[in-house]
Amino acid sequence: MKNTFGNSFAVTLFGESHGDMIGAVLDGVAPGVPIDHDYIEKQLRLRRPAGTISSARVEPDRYTIVSGVFNGKTTGTPLCILIPNENKRSEDYTTDSFLPRPGHADLTGYNKYHGYEDRRGGGHFSGRLTAPLVAVGAIALTALRQRGITVGTHIKRCAGIPDRDFRNAQEDLALLNNTDFAVLDPDAAIKMKKAIDAAAASGNSVGGVLETCVCGLPGGVGEPWFDSVESVLSHALFSIPAVKGVEFGAGFSICDMQGSQANDAMRWDAGGVRFLSNHNGGILGGISTGNDLIIRIAVKPTPSVFTEQETVDLTKGQNATLRLHGRHDPAIVHRARVVADSVTALALCDLLALRYGTDWLRGAD
Amino acid sequence: MKNTFGNSFAVTLFGESHGDMIGAVLDGVAPGVPIDHDYIEKQLRLRRPAGTISSARVEPDRYTIVSGVFNGKTTGTPLCILIPNENKRSEDYTTDSFLPRPGHADLTGYNKYHGYEDRRGGGHFSGRLTAPLVAVGAIALTALRQRGITVGTHIKRCAGIPDRDFRNAQEDLALLNNTDFAVLDPDAAIKMKKAIDAAAASGNSVGGVLETCVCGLPGGVGEPWFDSVESVLSHALFSIPAVKGVEFGAGFSICDMQGSQANDAMRWDAGGVRFLSNHNGGILGGISTGNDLIIRIAVKPTPSVFTEQETVDLTKGQNATLRLHGRHDPAIVHRARVVADSVTALALCDLLALRYGTDWLRGAD
Amino acid sequence: MKNTFGNSFAVTLFGESHGDMIGAVLDGVAPGVPIDHDYIEKQLRLRRPAGTISSARVEPDRYTIVSGVFNGKTTGTPLCILIPNENKRSEDYTTDSFLPRPGHADLTGYNKYHGYEDRRGGGHFSGRLTAPLVAVGAIALTALRQRGITVGTHIKRCAGIPDRDFRNAQEDLALLNNTDFAVLDPDAAIKMKKAIDAAAASGNSVGGVLETCVCGLPGGVGEPWFDSVESVLSHALFSIPAVKGVEFGAGFSICDMQGSQANDAMRWDAGGVRFLSNHNGGILGGISTGNDLIIRIAVKPTPSVFTEQETVDLTKGQNATLRLHGRHDPAIVHRARVVADSVTALALCDLLALRYGTDWLRGAD
Amino acid sequence: MKNTFGNSFAVTLFGESHGDMIGAVLDGVAPGVPIDHDYIEKQLRLRRPAGTISSARVEPDRYTIVSGVFNGKTTGTPLCILIPNENKRSEDYTTDSFLPRPGHADLTGYNKYHGYEDRRGGGHFSGRLTAPLVAVGAIALTALRQRGITVGTHIKRCAGIPDRDFRNAQEDLALLNNTDFAVLDPDAAIKMKKAIDAAAASGNSVGGVLETCVCGLPGGVGEPWFDSVESVLSHALFSIPAVKGVEFGAGFSICDMQGSQANDAMRWDAGGVRFLSNHNGGILGGISTGNDLIIRIAVKPTPSVFTEQETVDLTKGQNATLRLHGRHDPAIVHRARVVADSVTALALCDLLALRYGTDWLRGAD
């Protein structure tokens, strides 16, 4: 379905980095979900580059919701959110030569769109399109909270520096909610920022791993084939630019365990099932267990670096070297954190709507 | 869409481990693709447990194709493949107690289906359903080959023992095609088999990482949002039971690189673009670059182990301990190899049909 | 999505007229729906040609359900129903000449499948594929009844002879349930049968209009754009071979009314809304009103007639004349009646699952 | 999929009658399709109320395309078109009483959205949302023309007055292209306008039948089950507000023919197949024959009439009478003509993209 994700609860994304506007349409949202503008703005602010460790173009993200909201609540009809591109460049680019930037989508966009694509600033591939995704994601996160489902993400690793694991998920999520730089261990946070600064100083960039936790998801959500919770979440998460890996629970490290260790033992507790570990990340057979979901995504280092790079000139059909100028992010992993939250929330809303119907996220009546 | 995967080229899966039949419907396949029964049987044989390192129930997988094939070629109408369950148990299970097996989908199936599920042998969650998936995957692989696209998978790691990396992809894929135990380094193969035997001897199990390579995929396939090549492939791959992680190119290890290292430099070569590395796994901006696709999936150790495990009795609402009996696989990673090939092929056929139309896989006219 | 219909509740159809088997996969059915074999067989019998007014090939339709049912109830996992083709011809057809039959899909099948299609008996286009559709439709009808939703169809017109309108829908549906030839007015039934016999005697065929009524559908189901109740039902109904028109409520005759007449006045009645007429067929703005759904479909006369017909020879590239032999139905409208019920039920289940979730059709707990 | 229509080529619609903006996102459009603003504006003008026979609110429809277009051509990425509501009323409506208007979606919107819907001017159900549909439809129509496929619609009947049938489709379509009031017979046009004026004078309204013809569609497009050309077109067409019937070729009147008459005879002509009649509307077995498509839709009389009507007060739970004021269209059938063209074009683009790939509509290279 290309630029639409979801069946019962769906998001459609549009726009280019230097076009007039970017935006998203959210369809299938339950009627009556309150629109919390402070929260939307907070989420957008966390996505924006800011401070010394982000040096790219800064935009205020002055969004407007032009449909689907009435008297401060969702109507249940499609909600369209628009964000104008205020910093866009009006100039066109030259066609005398075309040097695709390594690590970017310049080459693949050209292959796919035959040169008709708007290449300025990455066009439709730009990470800037995550802004409307975060805006509608904030609405999905609000809807989930009405049902007691909370989502939060921390930087599990950046430039090789690890954060501590989640300990008490509820407390850790509350902590992350009040932190701009989403790291649980304050010492790790300091080290990571230094590493980002160092990469920036050398004209280079660093990547990282984001770990997302979902608390309160009911058991029984997801499908064995082919819409497992892992399938639907990974489909959405791999749409985030720069993500090259997705894993759940112990993830790739579960491959080195033995079965007796990998299995999560169960105990009867207060009328329900409690797990003694969570190597399966809250999912068995593609279906939620009721345990916390644990998701990690690999975010590659920003491909815009200032060192000289080898590329080709597609217009002239020959080798070329490229040296980028201007302002670029030395890391995006700290900004992608709210994108991970948003995309996770959007995908969960679709899975929940399939099982409980589109009205369920109105909250308990 | 639950038990159907794909839009233009779609597979629907049905059946339970101890029901009458399992099967799959393949829809959107181009007319005129030859049905190579030797190849289908070979792929099914590779999926079956065999020899000392697999000790679970063995079935001949006597498939029949009941529709969509005429005069040895696909008609273009839905192809249904059926595989009877010949070794199924006729007995019912007790309802006096229900002890969900740790690491299995017993608990989540119960949560989802309210006790109406057929729980025998894992029911619809059983790995046995990968048999029809492999059978239709063989047809997808044949269709891809007509367009010069080849797919192959090796065990990149098993029980902690690594195989060597792909070196010359075309040669390595040819090598794998003629190997039952899909490991490129013969010494590593011997060590892995020993480790699997050791796990079996101790009533335990081991997992591993599968690495798939796709050669010959044209550039320009996939969508920036939300049907990236990574999104569509991971959606399909996470449907394989026991998969807990999916990564592309350098995957999670790209997070520890700097941008200058992670970017794949390009050179002009024979009228096209050649990459000097493949950290991005043949995908940029969600779209194929023309470089080989490199995909890795994490396969957890078989959850059926013979050690005593802590679980609950859902009927009685109390703690319980469980000790499994019978015959179980000490590893499935070597069998899952053809499942990875099959699922990858099915997902690629859908991506290609979106871009080039459903007729394209008939082969060049 | 081609051969799959539905998002949350989906049916996939496969098979050819003279292949080994035809069948259907039903996915998204709620767990716990009882399988009533008497009812399935009754519905299949009503679809089969029988008696003097149907003279085509007769098959017993010995269906088996090979998955998705356990202990007599649906499990919630995909249900596959198979019907072997017992009367199939083993001979191949000649390729020296190919004379597409007028009114049939021979020409279009050839255009689409490039000659690879199985042309025997209409292949995948055969009305015989409505048998598995009726079988899974019977399960959908059972599920709907658990929620108080009933569906019934009568022959509103055949060979120009009209039946009376629905009067008391509940009573009329009960009457139709006990009638093989679904006409409300017994005199009309006699006249219609005579007209069918007359057509048969002259080697010709007749068509008719089927009118379906749905009682008990809750208000608020359907979507304004683009999944209106009319959109989803017509999508499904136009899949039935020979259907050339679909209308709701007053249908095409509403065009000749004035607005004051076409509007259905409302009255407050027993705590709810009652309509004084039903020109809108129970649907306003694409959404169910709570009033009965009224749907009519136009079924064209069987294209197999014994008069000489002008066609072409596609192999030789020249004009040709064609005279059909063998046994053919002089009408299918009376047999299509259960197909209309079935397809309506399948489409409604999908609309209901979208709104209330896939579990809703388990019935009130 | 609710507010998105199409799989490979998809349109998403959003907005309310008195919200800030209405709009549409078009996804899957081939790169390089020229944007013809004169044509878009012409189509929008034909949809707008105008002259004596339309008296409703008039808006200039000042659209902007904010994404997906670069240098005057489509980029291939999602195209978003926005139309501000300039005449919207700022006042809120009372909640002391709620009298749903007969024939409108007021009641069903309330049932579906629980009172959270924006009810002003019909909200999301308003015919005003056909404006962005016409705008993106103009782009689809342009894309089809590049491949020699033309679409046109005339008023086949209005207030009981018939227009003549299509004679020479190509010439008739050219004629309609240059006519604001789309009637082929000038006398019929005069009579229809008079009838509309008469209805307006008496505070009432009239409906009509629109007949659409598509020339140049290749044979072999569409699917036997369930995405027949009829299924996909009717799905889209029933989304147009006020449509209560859809028929193809002879439509409902085919039911009164005998098979020998209903079948379209074929002749060999200039290396291809020519049909001697078109009772099947260019579609056999759900697949295009290469003959012209003939589609008719029933458009009900505008439900806004000035006579006193019986309704209920949903707030007070009692009977009520309602008398509408203000300006309302006495007919919409003449305005719906470009909506029919647009929706037909959008649906055809999706069918063509499935068969030939999303790039095909770039035109012949």
Side-chain angles (χ1 to χ4, degrees):
Chain A
M1 181 54 74
K2 282 109 47 72
N3 288 272
T4 296
F5 177 81
N7 288 297
S8 303
F9 181 99
V11 59
T12 299
L13 205 60
F14 56 87
E16 290 93 33
S17 180
H18 292 80
D20 284 346
M21 284 186 184
I22 55 176
V25 181
L26 192 61
D27 189 14
V29 63
V33 176
I35 298 299
D36 181 343
H37 288 290
D38 288 343
Y39 181 59
I40 296 173
E41 277 164 20
K42 181 194 165 193
Q43 294 289 95
L44 284 170
R45 183 177 54 74
L46 288 174
R47 195 207 67 90
R48 273 200 295 275
T52 54
I53 60 169
S54 295
S55 50
R57 143 187 163 190
V58 180
E59 294 232 6
D61 296 332
R62 279 187 252 271
Y63 72 90
T64 50
I65 299 176
V66 298
S67 70
V69 172
F70 190 57
N71 291 335
K73 295 194 171 174
T74 57
T75 57
T77 56
L79 184 158
C80 178
I81 201 159
L82 297 172
I83 305 178
N85 283 323
E86 306 190 10
N87 259 347
K88 67 175 174 169
R89 292 173 290 179
S90 57
E91 88 279 12
D92 207 320
Y93 49 75
T94 175
T95 55
D96 291 347
S97 67
F98 173 26
L99 279 58
R101 295 165 296 164
H104 278 280
D106 298 350
L107 174 74
T108 54
Y110 178 82
N111 283 342
K112 184 171 175 60
Y113 302 116
H114 310 278
Y116 292 105
E117 72 275 13
D118 177 0
R119 208 177 291 154
R120 297 170 301 167
H124 184 57
F125 294 88
S126 168
R128 178 147 176 72
L129 269 86
T130 56
L133 208 47
V134 164
V136 294
I139 296 165
L141 286 160
T142 302
L144 290 174
R145 267 201 306 272
Q146 297 195 135
R147 283 289 189 175
I149 302 165
T150 51
V151 181
T153 298
H154 73 126
I155 307 171
K156 185 69 191 69
R157 199 165 85 227
C158 178
I161 299 151
D163 190 18
R164 72 161 169 85
D165 289 333
F166 280 115
R167 280 201 292 251
N168 180 311
Q170 294 280 13
E171 285 176 20
D172 286 344
L173 293 191
L175 183 78
L176 290 173
N177 248 335
N178 294 310
T179 315
D180 282 10
F181 193 76
V183 176
L184 294 168
D185 170 359
D187 290 340
I190 292 167
K191 284 181 198 158
M192 287 183 199
K193 286 179 179 175
K194 272 189 190 163
I196 297 173
D197 281 337
S202 65
N204 221 321
S205 64
V206 293
V209 175
L210 291 173
E211 185 174 57
T212 300
C213 177
V214 180
C215 292
L217 185 69
V221 174
E223 302 291 328
W225 316 86
F226 292 85
D227 283 354
S228 69
V229 173
E230 291 110 327
S231 288
V232 173
L233 283 175
S234 71
H235 191 137
L237 289 162
F238 271 120
S239 302
I240 305 175
V243 172
K244 300 305 283 188
V246 174
E247 60 178 15
F248 296 87
F252 277 87
S253 71
I254 206 169
C255 303
D256 296 333
M257 297 181 186
Q258 291 213 314
S260 58
Q261 179 192 3
N263 290 344
D264 299 309
M266 289 172 265
R267 298 284 78 190
W268 192 257
D269 186 8
V273 174
R274 184 168 50 85
F275 289 87
L276 298 185
S277 58
N278 195 4
H279 297 123
N280 288 282
I283 308 162
L284 285 171
I287 297 174
S288 61
T289 62
N291 204 345
D292 297 338
L293 292 193
I294 297 291
I295 312 146
R296 274 182 303 282
I297 61 175
V299 181
K300 75 176 184 181
T302 331
S304 293
V305 293
F306 296 103
T307 53
E308 189 175 272
Q309 298 184 81
E310 289 183 306
T311 182
V312 295
D313 186 327
L314 288 175
T315 308
K316 296 177 184 149
Q318 62 186 40
N319 285 331
T321 55
L322 177 72
R323 189 177 281 278
L324 297 175
H325 300 284
R327 297 167 67 80
H328 296 289
D329 272 329
I332 53 163
V333 63
H334 56 294
R335 297 174 55 195
R337 159 239 186 148
V338 283
V339 184
D341 284 350
S342 300
V343 164
T344 299
L346 292 163
L348 289 177
C349 284
D350 192 35
L351 283 166
L352 288 161
L354 174 64
R355 178 153 170 80
Y356 298 114
T358 45
D359 261 20
W360 189 76
L361 285 168
R362 284 202 296 145
D365 290 317
Chain B
M1 180 56 70
K2 283 112 45 69
N3 287 273
T4 296
F5 177 80
N7 288 300
S8 302
F9 181 99
V11 60
T12 299
L13 205 60
F14 56 87
E16 291 92 33
S17 180
H18 291 79
D20 283 346
M21 284 186 184
I22 55 176
V25 181
L26 191 62
D27 189 14
V29 63
V33 177
I35 299 297
D36 182 343
H37 288 289
D38 289 343
Y39 181 57
I40 297 173
E41 277 163 21
K42 180 194 166 193
Q43 294 289 96
L44 285 170
R45 184 177 53 75
L46 288 174
R47 195 208 66 89
R48 273 200 294 278
T52 54
I53 60 168
S54 295
S55 50
R57 140 186 164 192
V58 179
E59 295 232 5
D61 296 332
R62 278 189 253 269
Y63 72 90
T64 50
I65 299 177
V66 297
S67 71
V69 172
F70 190 57
N71 291 334
K73 295 196 172 175
T74 59
T75 57
T77 56
L79 184 158
C80 178
I81 201 158
L82 297 173
I83 304 179
N85 284 322
E86 306 189 11
N87 260 345
K88 66 175 174 168
R89 292 173 292 178
S90 57
E91 87 279 12
D92 207 320
Y93 48 76
T94 176
T95 55
D96 291 347
S97 67
F98 175 25
L99 278 60
R101 293 166 298 165
H104 279 281
D106 298 350
L107 175 73
T108 53
Y110 179 82
N111 283 342
K112 184 170 176 60
Y113 301 116
H114 311 280
Y116 292 106
E117 72 276 12
D118 178 359
R119 208 178 288 153
R120 297 170 302 166
H124 184 56
F125 294 89
S126 168
R128 177 145 177 73
L129 269 87
T130 56
L133 208 47
V134 164
V136 293
I139 297 165
L141 286 160
T142 301
L144 290 173
R145 265 200 307 271
Q146 296 195 135
R147 283 289 190 177
I149 303 165
T150 51
V151 181
T153 299
H154 72 126
I155 307 173
K156 185 71 190 70
R157 200 166 81 228
C158 178
I161 299 151
D163 189 19
R164 71 160 169 85
D165 289 332
F166 280 114
R167 281 202 291 254
N168 180 311
Q170 295 280 14
E171 286 176 19
D172 286 344
L173 293 191
L175 183 77
L176 290 173
N177 248 336
N178 294 310
T179 314
D180 282 9
F181 192 76
V183 176
L184 295 167
D185 172 358
D187 290 340
I190 292 167
K191 285 183 199 158
M192 287 184 199
K193 286 178 179 177
K194 273 189 191 161
I196 296 173
D197 281 337
S202 65
N204 221 320
S205 64
V206 293
V209 174
L210 291 172
E211 185 174 58
T212 301
C213 177
V214 180
C215 291
L217 185 70
V221 174
E223 302 290 328
W225 317 86
F226 293 85
D227 283 353
S228 70
V229 174
E230 292 110 327
S231 289
V232 173
L233 283 176
S234 70
H235 191 136
L237 290 163
F238 271 120
S239 302
I240 305 174
V243 172
K244 301 305 284 185
V246 174
E247 61 178 15
F248 296 87
F252 276 88
S253 72
I254 207 170
C255 304
D256 297 333
M257 296 180 185
Q258 291 213 314
S260 57
Q261 180 192 2
N263 291 344
D264 299 309
M266 289 171 266
R267 297 285 78 188
W268 192 256
D269 187 8
V273 175
R274 184 169 49 86
F275 289 88
L276 299 185
S277 58
N278 196 5
H279 297 124
N280 288 280
I283 308 162
L284 284 171
I287 296 173
S288 62
T289 62
N291 203 345
D292 297 337
L293 292 194
I294 296 291
I295 311 147
R296 274 182 304 281
I297 60 175
V299 180
K300 75 176 184 181
T302 330
S304 292
V305 293
F306 296 103
T307 53
E308 188 175 274
Q309 297 185 81
E310 289 183 306
T311 183
V312 296
D313 186 327
L314 288 174
T315 308
K316 296 180 183 148
Q318 61 187 39
N319 284 332
T321 57
L322 177 72
R323 190 177 280 277
L324 296 175
H325 301 284
R327 296 170 67 82
H328 297 288
D329 271 331
I332 54 164
V333 62
H334 56 294
R335 297 174 54 195
R337 160 238 185 150
V338 282
V339 184
D341 284 351
S342 300
V343 164
T344 298
L346 293 163
L348 289 177
C349 284
D350 192 37
L351 283 165
L352 288 161
L354 175 64
R355 179 154 171 80
Y356 298 113
T358 45
D359 262 18
W360 189 75
L361 285 168
R362 285 201 294 146
D365 292 319
Chain C
M1 180 53 74
K2 285 107 50 69
N3 287 272
T4 295
F5 177 81
N7 287 300
S8 302
F9 182 99
V11 60
T12 299
L13 205 60
F14 56 86
E16 290 91 34
S17 181
H18 291 78
D20 284 344
M21 285 188 183
I22 54 176
V25 181
L26 191 61
D27 189 14
V29 63
V33 177
I35 298 298
D36 181 344
H37 287 290
D38 289 342
Y39 181 59
I40 296 173
E41 277 164 21
K42 181 195 166 194
Q43 294 289 97
L44 283 171
R45 184 177 53 77
L46 289 174
R47 195 206 68 87
R48 272 200 296 276
T52 55
I53 59 169
S54 295
S55 50
R57 143 185 162 191
V58 180
E59 294 233 6
D61 295 334
R62 279 188 252 270
Y63 72 90
T64 49
I65 300 177
V66 298
S67 69
V69 172
F70 189 57
N71 291 334
K73 296 196 170 174
T74 57
T75 57
T77 57
L79 185 158
C80 178
I81 202 158
L82 297 173
I83 304 180
N85 284 323
E86 305 189 11
N87 260 346
K88 65 174 175 169
R89 293 173 289 180
S90 57
E91 87 279 12
D92 207 321
Y93 48 76
T94 174
T95 55
D96 291 348
S97 67
F98 174 26
L99 277 60
R101 294 165 297 164
H104 278 281
D106 297 351
L107 175 73
T108 53
Y110 179 82
N111 282 342
K112 185 170 174 61
Y113 302 116
H114 311 279
Y116 292 106
E117 72 275 13
D118 177 0
R119 211 178 288 154
R120 298 170 301 165
H124 184 56
F125 294 89
S126 168
R128 177 143 178 74
L129 270 86
T130 56
L133 209 46
V134 164
V136 292
I139 297 166
L141 287 159
T142 302
L144 290 173
R145 266 202 307 273
Q146 298 196 134
R147 283 290 191 176
I149 303 166
T150 52
V151 181
T153 298
H154 72 126
I155 307 172
K156 184 71 192 67
R157 199 166 82 228
C158 178
I161 299 150
D163 189 19
R164 72 160 169 84
D165 288 333
F166 280 115
R167 280 201 292 254
N168 180 312
Q170 294 280 12
E171 286 175 18
D172 286 344
L173 293 191
L175 183 77
L176 291 172
N177 248 336
N178 294 311
T179 314
D180 281 9
F181 193 75
V183 177
L184 295 167
D185 172 358
D187 290 339
I190 292 167
K191 285 183 199 156
M192 286 183 200
K193 286 178 179 176
K194 274 188 191 162
I196 296 173
D197 281 338
S202 65
N204 221 322
S205 64
V206 292
V209 175
L210 290 173
E211 185 174 58
T212 301
C213 178
V214 180
C215 292
L217 185 70
V221 174
E223 302 291 329
W225 318 84
F226 292 88
D227 282 354
S228 71
V229 174
E230 292 110 327
S231 290
V232 173
L233 283 176
S234 69
H235 191 136
L237 290 163
F238 271 120
S239 302
I240 305 174
V243 172
K244 300 307 282 188
V246 174
E247 61 179 14
F248 297 87
F252 276 88
S253 72
I254 206 169
C255 303
D256 296 333
M257 297 180 185
Q258 292 213 314
S260 58
Q261 180 192 1
N263 289 345
D264 299 310
M266 288 171 267
R267 297 285 79 187
W268 192 255
D269 187 9
V273 174
R274 184 169 49 86
F275 288 88
L276 298 185
S277 57
N278 196 4
H279 297 125
N280 288 280
I283 308 162
L284 285 172
I287 295 173
S288 61
T289 63
N291 204 344
D292 297 338
L293 293 194
I294 297 291
I295 311 146
R296 273 181 305 282
I297 61 174
V299 180
K300 75 175 185 181
T302 329
S304 292
V305 294
F306 295 102
T307 54
E308 188 174 273
Q309 297 185 82
E310 289 183 306
T311 183
V312 296
D313 185 328
L314 288 175
T315 308
K316 296 179 183 148
Q318 61 187 39
N319 285 331
T321 56
L322 177 72
R323 190 176 279 277
L324 296 176
H325 301 284
R327 297 170 65 81
H328 296 289
D329 273 330
I332 54 163
V333 63
H334 56 295
R335 297 174 55 194
R337 158 237 188 153
V338 282
V339 185
D341 284 350
S342 300
V343 164
T344 299
L346 292 163
L348 289 177
C349 285
D350 192 36
L351 283 166
L352 288 162
L354 175 63
R355 179 154 171 80
Y356 298 114
T358 44
D359 261 19
W360 190 75
L361 285 168
R362 285 202 293 146
D365 291 317
Chain D
M1 181 54 72
K2 286 117 37 83
N3 287 272
T4 295
F5 178 80
N7 286 300
S8 301
F9 181 99
V11 60
T12 300
L13 206 59
F14 56 86
E16 290 93 34
S17 180
H18 291 80
D20 283 345
M21 285 186 183
I22 56 177
V25 181
L26 192 62
D27 190 14
V29 64
V33 176
I35 298 298
D36 181 343
H37 288 289
D38 289 343
Y39 181 58
I40 297 173
E41 277 164 19
K42 181 194 166 196
Q43 294 289 95
L44 284 171
R45 183 177 55 75
L46 288 173
R47 196 208 66 88
R48 273 199 295 275
T52 55
I53 60 168
S54 295
S55 51
R57 142 187 163 190
V58 180
E59 295 233 5
D61 296 333
R62 277 188 252 272
Y63 72 90
T64 50
I65 298 176
V66 298
S67 70
V69 173
F70 189 57
N71 292 333
K73 296 195 171 175
T74 58
T75 56
T77 57
L79 184 157
C80 178
I81 202 157
L82 297 172
I83 304 179
N85 285 323
E86 304 190 10
N87 260 347
K88 66 175 174 167
R89 292 173 290 179
S90 57
E91 87 279 9
D92 206 321
Y93 48 76
T94 175
T95 55
D96 291 347
S97 66
F98 174 26
L99 278 61
R101 294 165 298 165
H104 278 281
D106 297 351
L107 175 74
T108 52
Y110 180 81
N111 282 343
K112 184 171 174 63
Y113 301 116
H114 310 280
Y116 291 106
E117 72 275 15
D118 178 359
R119 208 177 289 154
R120 297 170 302 166
H124 184 56
F125 294 89
S126 169
R128 178 145 178 72
L129 268 86
T130 56
L133 208 47
V134 165
V136 293
I139 296 166
L141 286 159
T142 302
L144 290 173
R145 266 200 308 272
Q146 297 196 133
R147 282 289 190 176
I149 302 165
T150 52
V151 181
T153 298
H154 73 125
I155 307 174
K156 185 70 193 68
R157 198 166 85 227
C158 178
I161 300 150
D163 191 18
R164 72 160 170 85
D165 288 334
F166 280 114
R167 282 199 293 252
N168 180 312
Q170 295 280 13
E171 286 176 19
D172 286 344
L173 294 191
L175 183 77
L176 290 172
N177 248 337
N178 294 311
T179 315
D180 281 10
F181 192 76
V183 177
L184 294 167
D185 171 357
D187 290 340
I190 292 167
K191 285 183 199 155
M192 287 184 199
K193 286 179 179 175
K194 272 189 189 159
I196 296 173
D197 282 338
S202 65
N204 220 321
S205 64
V206 293
V209 175
L210 290 172
E211 186 174 57
T212 300
C213 178
V214 180
C215 292
L217 185 69
V221 174
E223 301 290 328
W225 317 85
F226 293 89
D227 284 353
S228 70
V229 174
E230 293 110 327
S231 289
V232 173
L233 283 176
S234 70
H235 191 136
L237 289 163
F238 271 121
S239 302
I240 304 175
V243 172
K244 300 306 282 187
V246 174
E247 61 179 15
F248 297 86
F252 277 87
S253 71
I254 207 170
C255 304
D256 297 333
M257 296 180 186
Q258 291 212 316
S260 59
Q261 180 190 3
N263 289 345
D264 299 309
M266 289 171 266
R267 298 283 79 187
W268 192 257
D269 187 9
V273 175
R274 185 170 48 88
F275 288 88
L276 298 185
S277 58
N278 196 3
H279 297 125
N280 288 280
I283 308 162
L284 284 171
I287 295 174
S288 61
T289 63
N291 204 344
D292 297 337
L293 293 193
I294 296 291
I295 312 146
R296 275 182 303 282
I297 61 175
V299 181
K300 75 176 185 181
T302 330
S304 293
V305 294
F306 296 102
T307 54
E308 189 174 271
Q309 298 184 82
E310 289 183 306
T311 184
V312 295
D313 186 328
L314 287 175
T315 309
K316 294 178 184 148
Q318 61 186 39
N319 285 330
T321 57
L322 176 72
R323 191 176 278 280
L324 296 176
H325 300 284
R327 296 170 66 80
H328 296 289
D329 273 330
I332 54 163
V333 63
H334 55 295
R335 298 173 53 194
R337 159 236 188 155
V338 283
V339 184
D341 284 350
S342 301
V343 164
T344 299
L346 293 164
L348 289 177
C349 285
D350 192 35
L351 282 165
L352 288 161
L354 175 64
R355 178 153 170 80
Y356 298 113
T358 45
D359 261 20
W360 190 75
L361 285 168
R362 284 201 295 146
D365 289 317

